[in-house]
Amino acid sequence: MNTTIKDIAKLAGVAKSTVSRYLNGGHVSEQTKAKIRKVVEETKYEPNSFAQSLKAKKTNFIGVIAPTLDSYVTSTVLMAIDEELRKRDYTTLIISTSKHVDREIESLISLSRQKVDGIILIATGVTEKHIETINSIQIPVLIVAQEVGHVTCIINDDYQAGFKMGQYVAQKGHRAVAYIGVAESDIAVGQRRKQGIMEGLKSAGVSDVKTFVSQFDLQDAARVTQEVLEESSLTAIICATDTIAFGAMKTITKLGKKVPKDFSIAGFGGYNISGVIHPALTTIRFKNEETGVMAAETIIKLTNGEEVPNLQVSGFDFIEGESVKSVKS
Amino acid sequence: MNTTIKDIAKLAGVAKSTVSRYLNGGHVSEQTKAKIRKVVEETKYEPNSFAQSLKAKKTNFIGVIAPTLDSYVTSTVLMAIDEELRKRDYTTLIISTSKHVDREIESLISLSRQKVDGIILIATGVTEKHIETINSIQIPVLIVAQEVGHVTCIINDDYQAGFKMGQYVAQKGHRAVAYIGVAESDIAVGQRRKQGIMEGLKSAGVSDVKTFVSQFDLQDAARVTQEVLEESSLTAIICATDTIAFGAMKTITKLGKKVPKDFSIAGFGGYNISGVIHPALTTIRFKNEETGVMAAETIIKLTNGEEVPNLQVSGFDFIEGESVKSVKS
DNA sequence: TACAGAAATGGAACCGGTTCCGTTTCCGTT
DNA sequence: AACGGAAACGGAACCGGTTCCATTTCTGTA
């Protein structure tokens, strides 16, 4: 049987209210403190946090809903969130939905039953149903990685990142450029990033860009790349993610061509592994740690009813690898 | 304000005990059911699970302590655990320790205060202090990935996997083989796997193997590989993990040598990325999903006081890539 | 030395559920 | 019509804490 505050009180010969005060730093005489301390140590008493939050109306839990755990971006953000929340005495409750969108809704509801103080939703897409559920549970929700009206959001600066990359590739002298992107249902990557790239290229004089659409996985990217390579005279391929870039490199290598000699390749992500691949991939590393910290800070503010900006933008670094070469123009 | 069972009772004109019975499938007349149902729907009532578990003495939470979230192995196991636990109506509480061993101890205690029903510890090393803490909290604990006496454990079949790989490399005709391992404080990888490899090699006639020790990260592996290559006449390097293998490949490539032409390389892990690298890495893929499911099943049995074997072993697949070539003997 | 205000403490109510117990109502059986 | 058992339901206690309130005991100051 677990020891309770009542047991401690009895053993120390005081009222349980006194024990509670002792534990929470209220007014207790040194003498009494000593008695209680002794009993607490002997019994290895640990307060029941459920009972505590029942009265406190505050659980110090923050729920985080993630589409998956096995992606570099998600896990980095998750680690940063967890780290920051821990510092502030919150417990992170991570729920993975295995990319089932339905489960995001379910999780929102189940977390609300757990009475978490706030929820961070790392999103890949946000539907009407999401918004509806978010409004129906009366708990603050923060959306990460996608932008939605009337909900607090943190996003990557996909437009600027795209612009930077587009400009870079164009300035390297490439004129025949292809883009392998993802479905437009993904506002952040499918739309904003693409738009940035296009305008970045344009700003440096490249306006005719062939675009293709791939899934997020390597296999599909490798497949799509075959189509891409049918375009003649191409010198550079910009890929929406590093994984897609790896897929492209795989296909190119398989065809006996070389990066960057025959084709220049660029990606977005900055995974650790990018440095292993030879040649090192030129890419954009989003500041995932910054995003995580920001998310933790923001959700805490929200639970305290403080004002926070409706949209916050997290930065990025440009990583110059060896996968994009200069061409004479 | 949140609606409580008391509000529902008042609105429906019944006692709260009746509402509770309605919610839990007790005897309630159809007429009353209808009344309550109506109120519950209108108010979007969600029971407070803290209050429930306070009385029930069961939270249906399982805590999982992981050293990090951003490793392929950990996240795969985690996903599988989560998936399986959800199926059985448990909520997974994931805690990442960012590789701070102290925090594993802290987390064990903090989880015990949350009154989780059981704890799964994905371990990289288990100290006396761990054992002590595990014994002091009165909650079942399952250790994954390391073997410890008197505690229920699930491990990979590191010995057999190593044996298989050692045998394979030797049978490919390699006689001058080096091994890049990890510290022996890691029983599973540092000792068992190594032992398997050595005996596998020996079984096929190779008994003189130079061994080296690296950290788990790529950079250190790349550094260690430089030393390794100072050995003359080497034809194959077996690496304790895929990451180490990537580091080795990086160094080899940097020196203008080729895999597998100049050196054959093998790893352990079977990360998704292994297929991208050219040449594809010959490796062992441990059945992480199987491990996760097993872990979930086992911890549930433990919380129910059922008997479980003290040690369970999870299997692996041998993945033949292109990174180990045949040499004429 | 008297007295006000703070400190110390116990008792009881409360948080939001579940469950036990006892009473009333309903139904079927003889 | 009388009776017994099950169904239906309300009231109260309980889970393990926190907190309010009232009472007693110290303090320090006039």
Side-chain angles (χ1 to χ4, degrees):
Chain A
M1 198 53 194
N2 256 311
T3 52
T4 71
I5 200 170
K6 202 170 146 191
D7 302 331
I8 305 293
K10 193 177 291 171
L11 288 172
V14 295
K16 61 180 194 162
S17 48
T18 305
V19 178
S20 175
R21 268 187 296 262
Y22 163 79
L23 293 167
N24 297 295
H27 293 293
V28 182
S29 72
E30 285 307 323
Q31 206 181 345
T32 311
K33 269 186 192 166
K35 275 194 299 189
I36 300 177
R37 176 163 35 236
K38 187 155 164 282
V39 178
V40 167
E41 278 167 11
E42 279 171 2
T43 56
K44 295 184 183 170
Y45 167 71
E46 293 285 351
N48 180 327
S49 36
F50 283 157
Q52 292 180 313
S53 32
L54 179 56
K55 180 79 195 210
K57 299 263 194 188
K58 194 160 189 316
T59 58
N60 273 31
F61 273 31
I62 297 290
V64 183
I65 304 174
T68 174
L69 299 176
D70 63 1
S71 108
Y72 168 73
V73 177
T74 311
S75 54
T76 318
V77 174
L78 234 35
M79 294 254 296
I81 290 176
D82 184 63
E83 192 80 14
E84 188 64 25
L85 285 178
R86 182 201 320 284
K87 273 190 206 156
R88 297 155 177 263
D89 280 323
Y90 279 83
T91 299
T92 316
L93 223 165
I94 300 172
I95 296 197
S96 150
T97 60
S98 307
K99 294 186 184 159
H100 297 319
V101 178
D102 294 352
R103 214 178 268 172
E104 295 185 3
I105 311 287
E106 274 174 37
S107 303
L108 283 166
I109 294 174
S110 111
L111 284 173
S112 87
R113 303 185 60 156
Q114 318 279 18
K115 303 294 177 212
V116 297
D117 294 341
I119 300 176
I120 299 174
L121 173 63
I122 302 179
T124 52
V126 179
T127 64
E128 263 313 307
K129 193 110 186 235
H130 283 83
I131 310 278
E132 208 175 287
T133 312
I134 289 173
N135 290 331
S136 85
I137 61 179
Q138 52 296 63
I139 296 177
V141 175
L142 167 68
I143 293 183
V144 171
Q146 294 288 335
E147 185 179 348
V148 183
H150 307 294
V151 185
T152 312
C153 299
I154 295 180
I155 55 169
N156 286 322
D157 198 351
D158 277 296
Y159 178 83
Q160 286 301 331
F163 192 93
K164 169 85 191 167
M165 183 60 86
Q167 202 172 35
Y168 172 84
V169 170
Q171 285 172 351
K172 279 284 187 177
H174 294 275
R175 288 295 170 267
V177 180
Y179 173 65
I180 305 182
V182 300
E184 297 216 331
S185 61
D186 184 324
I187 310 278
V189 181
Q191 295 188 29
R192 291 263 185 293
R193 190 173 295 177
K194 177 177 176 183
Q195 198 189 353
I197 293 169
M198 293 307 157
E199 298 187 10
L201 285 165
K202 201 175 202 172
S203 78
V206 178
S207 53
D208 180 28
V209 180
K210 300 279 185 316
T211 71
F212 298 81
V213 173
S214 162
Q215 303 292 320
F216 277 92
D217 65 299
L218 202 128
Q219 285 68 30
D220 197 55
R223 185 186 61 72
V224 172
T225 305
Q226 293 178 328
E227 293 173 33
V228 177
L229 295 180
E230 287 168 12
E231 292 291 325
S232 57
S233 82
L234 223 47
T235 65
I237 304 174
I238 301 181
C239 304
T241 75
D242 280 4
T243 303
I244 294 176
F246 294 150
M249 286 170 106
K250 191 174 182 179
T251 298
I252 290 170
T253 310
K254 197 186 279 170
L255 296 175
K257 302 285 186 180
K258 290 233 179 287
V259 176
K261 191 169 146 283
D262 301 305
F263 298 100
S264 288
I265 297 283
F268 287 79
Y271 311 160
N272 282 329
I273 196 75
S274 309
V276 192
I277 300 276
H278 189 82
L281 187 62
T282 291
T283 185
I284 296 276
R285 185 195 307 270
F286 288 103
K287 300 194 170 176
N288 299 309
E289 294 79 6
E290 182 183 306
T291 305
V293 172
M294 210 187 271
E297 286 170 350
T298 305
I299 195 67
I300 292 180
K301 282 188 190 157
L302 282 175
T303 64
N304 294 335
E306 294 173 36
E307 274 302 314
V308 297
N310 227 318
L311 182 67
Q312 293 175 87
V313 177
S314 173
F316 61 87
D317 287 322
F318 178 77
I319 312 272
E320 183 161 23
E322 305 148 354
S323 65
V324 177
K325 70 163 182 181
S326 291
V327 297
K328 338 177 187 30
S329 52
Chain B
M1 198 54 195
N2 257 311
T3 51
T4 72
I5 201 170
K6 204 171 145 191
D7 302 330
I8 305 294
K10 192 178 293 172
L11 288 172
V14 297
K16 60 180 195 161
S17 49
T18 306
V19 178
S20 175
R21 269 187 293 261
Y22 162 78
L23 293 168
N24 297 296
H27 293 294
V28 182
S29 71
E30 284 307 323
Q31 205 180 345
T32 311
K33 269 186 193 167
K35 275 193 298 186
I36 299 177
R37 176 163 35 235
K38 188 154 163 281
V39 178
V40 166
E41 279 168 9
E42 279 171 2
T43 57
K44 294 183 181 168
Y45 167 72
E46 292 287 350
N48 181 327
S49 37
F50 283 157
Q52 291 180 314
S53 30
L54 179 56
K55 180 80 194 211
K57 300 260 194 190
K58 191 161 192 313
T59 58
N60 271 33
F61 273 29
I62 298 289
V64 184
I65 304 175
T68 175
L69 299 176
D70 63 1
S71 107
Y72 169 73
V73 177
T74 312
S75 53
T76 319
V77 173
L78 234 35
M79 295 254 295
I81 291 177
D82 184 64
E83 192 81 14
E84 188 65 23
L85 285 178
R86 183 202 319 284
K87 273 190 206 156
R88 296 156 178 264
D89 279 324
Y90 279 83
T91 299
T92 317
L93 224 165
I94 300 172
I95 296 198
S96 150
T97 60
S98 307
K99 293 186 184 159
H100 297 320
V101 177
D102 295 353
R103 211 177 272 170
E104 294 184 4
I105 311 288
E106 275 173 37
S107 303
L108 283 166
I109 295 174
S110 111
L111 285 173
S112 87
R113 303 182 61 158
Q114 318 280 16
K115 304 293 177 210
V116 297
D117 293 342
I119 300 177
I120 298 174
L121 173 63
I122 302 178
T124 52
V126 179
T127 65
E128 263 313 307
K129 193 111 186 236
H130 282 84
I131 310 278
E132 208 174 286
T133 311
I134 290 173
N135 289 332
S136 86
I137 61 180
Q138 53 296 62
I139 295 176
V141 175
L142 167 67
I143 293 183
V144 171
Q146 295 288 336
E147 185 176 349
V148 183
H150 306 296
V151 184
T152 312
C153 300
I154 295 179
I155 56 169
N156 286 321
D157 198 350
D158 276 297
Y159 178 84
Q160 285 302 332
F163 192 94
K164 168 85 194 169
M165 183 61 85
Q167 201 172 36
Y168 171 83
V169 170
Q171 285 173 350
K172 279 283 188 176
H174 295 275
R175 286 297 169 266
V177 179
Y179 173 65
I180 306 181
V182 300
E184 296 215 332
S185 60
D186 184 325
I187 311 278
V189 181
Q191 295 188 30
R192 291 263 186 292
R193 190 174 296 177
K194 177 178 176 183
Q195 199 189 353
I197 292 168
M198 295 306 158
E199 298 186 11
L201 284 164
K202 200 174 203 170
S203 78
V206 178
S207 53
D208 179 27
V209 180
K210 301 278 184 318
T211 70
F212 299 80
V213 172
S214 161
Q215 303 293 318
F216 277 93
D217 64 299
L218 200 129
Q219 285 68 30
D220 197 55
R223 185 186 61 71
V224 171
T225 305
Q226 292 178 328
E227 295 173 32
V228 177
L229 295 180
E230 287 167 12
E231 293 290 326
S232 57
S233 82
L234 222 50
T235 64
I237 305 174
I238 301 181
C239 304
T241 74
D242 280 3
T243 303
I244 294 176
F246 295 149
M249 286 170 106
K250 191 175 181 177
T251 298
I252 291 171
T253 308
K254 198 187 276 173
L255 295 175
K257 303 283 187 182
K258 291 232 179 290
V259 176
K261 191 169 145 284
D262 301 306
F263 298 101
S264 287
I265 298 283
F268 287 78
Y271 312 161
N272 281 329
I273 197 75
S274 309
V276 192
I277 301 277
H278 188 82
L281 187 62
T282 291
T283 186
I284 297 275
R285 184 195 308 270
F286 289 102
K287 300 196 170 174
N288 298 308
E289 294 79 7
E290 182 182 305
T291 305
V293 172
M294 212 187 269
E297 285 171 350
T298 306
I299 194 68
I300 292 179
K301 281 188 190 155
L302 281 175
T303 65
N304 294 337
E306 293 174 36
E307 274 302 315
V308 298
N310 227 319
L311 183 66
Q312 294 174 87
V313 177
S314 174
F316 61 86
D317 287 322
F318 178 78
I319 312 273
E320 183 161 23
E322 304 147 354
S323 64
V324 178
K325 69 163 183 181
S326 291
V327 297
K328 338 179 186 30
S329 50

